[in-house]
Amino acid sequence: MKKILFLVLFTLIPFLIFSQNIKLEGAVKDSLGNPLEMANVIAFKKGTQFLQSYSITDTKGNYKLSLEENEAYTLRISYLGFETKSVEVITNNSNKNLIKNIILSETNESLNQVDITYEMPVKIIGDTIVYNSDSFTTGKEKKLEDVLKKLPGVEVDENGEVEVEGKKVQKVLVEGKPFFDGDSKLATQNIPANAIDKVQVLKNYNEVAGMRGVTNNEDNIALNIKLKKGKDKFWFGEVNAGIGNEEKYIAKPKLFYYSPNKSVNLLADFNNIGEAPFTMRDYFRFTGGLRGAMRDSGTSFNISSGGLGFMTTQNNRAQEITSKFGALNFGLSPKKTLDFNGFAIVNNSETAMLTQSNTVYNKLNLTEESSNQAMQESKLGMLKFSTTYKPNTNVHVDYDVFGKISEQTELQDVTSTSRNADTYKEEKPFSINQNFNIYYTIDDKNIFAAEMQHLFQKDKPLYNSMATTQPFLIIPTEGEQDGNYIFDLVQNKKLTTNKFDAKFDYYYLLTPKSNVNISFGTTFSKQNLNSKISQNLENGSKLDFEDSLLNNDVDYNFSDIFLGLHYKMVSGIFTFNPGVSLHQYTTKDTQLGVVNKSNTTKLLPDVYANLQFKSSESLRFNYSMSTQFSDIDNISEGYFLSNYNSLTRGNKELESALYHKYSLSYFSFSMFSFTNINASVNYTKKENGIKNNTELVGIDRVSYPVNSNLADETLSAFFRYGKTYSKLKTNFSANISNSTYNNIVNNDLIKSKSLSHSYQGSIATKFKTAPNFELGYQKSFSNYSKSNSVTDRPFANMEVGFLKNFILTADYSYYKYKNTFENLSSETKNNYSFLNANLYYQQKDSKWEFKISANNLTNNTSMNTDSYHEISDSNSTSLYFIQPRLWMFSVKYNL
């Protein structure tokens, strides 16, 4: 019944919204009859400045407006270099469709002079789209995120990351200055909505002006937030504090200052209500904005921190999360040619997690039930300083120094059908990263670029396992296997990394639309790893294991020297950019008294092709071949304790893997119809891949990496269709991923497949004064080896203003989950829902706002997840516990 009611509402909303509307359309042309693309057509109710509808003409000069019945309107039509024209229109219910063609005459006035009297909701100036915030908002928005969600062609995901026309935003600026390194999450969740005047979308963005014409920047999108007058020359912000049931609290002061030559942002967040302002995912995601020249070199050599793999929260939820967060961002421009900016971020969080799992080991036809209670504490710190020097348009120099430090601990209590165990993990990683880049346009034919980076990284992870049994024969532990004795194993590890990257590019412009690029680059990495496993005995002494297979003392050097050649040409709508790079790889490791050295030469091609049908419509193809090398963790022959029931080691004989990556993408965004289409198909094939050879003894496993001639393949596809009307925004999306994996379990080759696909549709109203609602439906399928799950999720959101000073917002999601194991007769079913609501009260022009909020009103205490583990060939379905119902009362003061 719920599904039927939901589908009926979903179907009726468009008809209810548009049943009383009149469609006005026509074409805008010049005096010679030539169509004017990107002309602005705005409809005001006659005698007012109330904007009813607007349109931007397409390539044929066509426009389309939706107007109310029995109203008089004034149309204002403007186009750069032409006189603005006003036209009177009267609608009536006898004619549902009106046609009116417009002829504009040329003038010497600029569009900027004409726009003084009114604001166009959307302007397009070259590669920049400018949204006027007030044209899309209702005044009920609280954060930048709320504003962006109402802009056509803009999407914000649940992690606060932004997409424009299907492409992820790489950098967020405020008044042209980076906001915390351009991080989209910190921007969307902290910048106040009432301070925003305009949102500028900067397409084909490149921080270095001289490189825009020779590199492919189509995927580089930046947002620049323009502040309202009065917000750009003095301090503004807000202070938010609240209390709730069960001794819950929040305190969120935010302070901002912007002027033409300086900016300061101060953010803080103290709460124990389960909101994580800065997560470990955010910590690792901060890498320095758009920089990173070696990412397209053809070599994949990723440095791990040597970490232990801490548990992560699901959907940023847990049984309990307490956070203390503080951040400072600054920008300073002492003169036009010199900029300084940087930030400091600190975060201290405590997280409690509880998971109950049912795991089926397919190879052994064995089932394990387990409960895992974890308590984590995480202290994070980051500090960055950057400077940019641009003495003229031909020279761009920048330098960054970026430091990260953290201290993380995790205590787990595991109870399972096989054994009980307590584990303790501790990490204190530290890294400092320096970048130096120079770009020099020698003349109109020659461009030179040099990009260099140095990384120093150090970590000393500690792992302690206390279990009732010790299953690994390789570890000669003392004690009786009687279920009462506790085997207390300790692993100490120390990993140090020095890595240097450099790339030098020379561009020769054959014509203004074609160039040749010669690249020379190198990567050099030096790593050292020490580890040992020991046992704490009951008498307080420690047993050190002397076996060389239980200790590591390894030095590992990796180097890559490459020479690349690329050609780029643009002919009409077609861009073609093929290339090839020649790599000389050298690896050398010293361990167990033996030196192992290898040299490899690879020729790696890549191709980029783009059909740019219109400024916002393109079809793009990418192909690249790349090599993947392991770092020191995978070549160290001594064993590591990765879990109480898992032992791993490296393999010094590992060779590099070869990746083939194909992608075909289509992007289309029409300012005429406000239709956004984004589709892509991706295929990846890995040859000579690095796989795990695993020996299972019950639920316990010992594994090590090997090269395999069995190819792993992944085929994925994505489609999104969105259309914005005058009072409606619709979206539909689909994701499909089909993967094939090959592993070795108990000396048998295991070929496993996974197929996941999900579909989501939603429709939302966009009224300025009336209540707004969103309805949607998501259906997800996950098919792993011998396991199938289906999740149905209808959802709804609302935003209602009433009694002048009150605003009520709410969001609701209902989950129907089912999981089936093929080799078991039982199945898992679970239905649950989440309802959150906020009631705001604020008098007009008052600086005070009062809020009553309720999270998880349905008092749901758990949610389901499922996964496939290819190393052990096992399927898991888990019940993950979360924080129950929470009530809060808070007060906000706008500075």
Side-chain angles (χ1 to χ4, degrees), residues 3-15:
K3 288 185 179 181
I4 295 173
L5 179 60
F6 198 88
L7 289 173
V8 169
L9 289 173
F10 191 88
T11 305
L12 287 179
I13 280 182
F15 296 100

Side-chain angles (χ1 to χ4, degrees), residues 686-697:
K686 184 180 357 178
E687 297 179 359
N688 199 37
I690 299 171
K691 311 303 299 180
N692 282 284
N693 190 330
T694 304
E695 179 184 358
L696 289 178
V697 182

Side-chain angles (χ1 to χ4, degrees), residues 408-423:
Q408 305 157 59
T409 61
E410 179 181 275
L411 180 62
Q412 289 190 52
D413 179 10
V414 181
T415 304
S416 74
T417 52
S418 60
R419 70 168 65 84
N420 298 332
D422 290 328
T423 64

Side-chain angles (χ1 to χ4, degrees), residues 35-52:
L36 299 177
E37 183 183 5
M38 300 298 179
N40 300 322
V41 183
I42 310 177
F44 295 92
K45 286 191 175 180
K46 188 173 181 179
T48 73
Q49 288 296 309
F50 180 81
L51 188 150
Q52 174 68 34

Side-chain angles (χ1 to χ4, degrees), residues 156-206:
V156 183
D157 67 16
E158 60 186 11
N159 295 313
E161 297 186 0
V162 186
E163 287 187 0
V164 176
E165 300 178 14
K167 303 173 188 177
K168 184 168 290 188
V169 169
Q170 306 288 337
K171 204 174 190 72
V172 176
L173 312 170
V174 179
E175 293 291 335
K177 299 176 176 63
F179 187 85
F180 286 97
D181 209 27
D183 180 67
S184 59
K185 178 182 175 180
L186 286 180
T188 56
Q189 298 185 356
N190 288 284
I191 297 176
N194 60 8
I196 301 167
D197 181 29
K198 293 178 176 59
V199 177
Q200 296 179 335
V201 176
L202 311 177
K203 299 195 296 183
N204 302 316
Y205 180 73
N206 195 314

Side-chain angles (χ1 to χ4, degrees), residues 94 221 228 262 388 419 452 480 578 599 637 680 685 765 776 804 832 867 891:
S94 63
I221 304 286
K228 290 182 176 178
K262 65 176 71 73
T388 301
R419 70 168 65 84
M452 289 165 279
E480 299 293 332
N599 293 281
E637 297 257 317
S680 63
K685 183 177 181 180
T765 60
K804 292 185 179 180
Y832 54 95
S867 59
V891 179

Side-chain angles (χ1 to χ4, degrees), residues 465-468 478 480 483-488 535-536 538:
S465 169
M466 293 169 283
T468 52
E478 294 187 4
E480 299 293 332
N484 295 317
Y485 188 86
I486 302 299
F487 292 88
D488 189 351
Q535 180 183 4
N536 293 326
E538 286 188 329

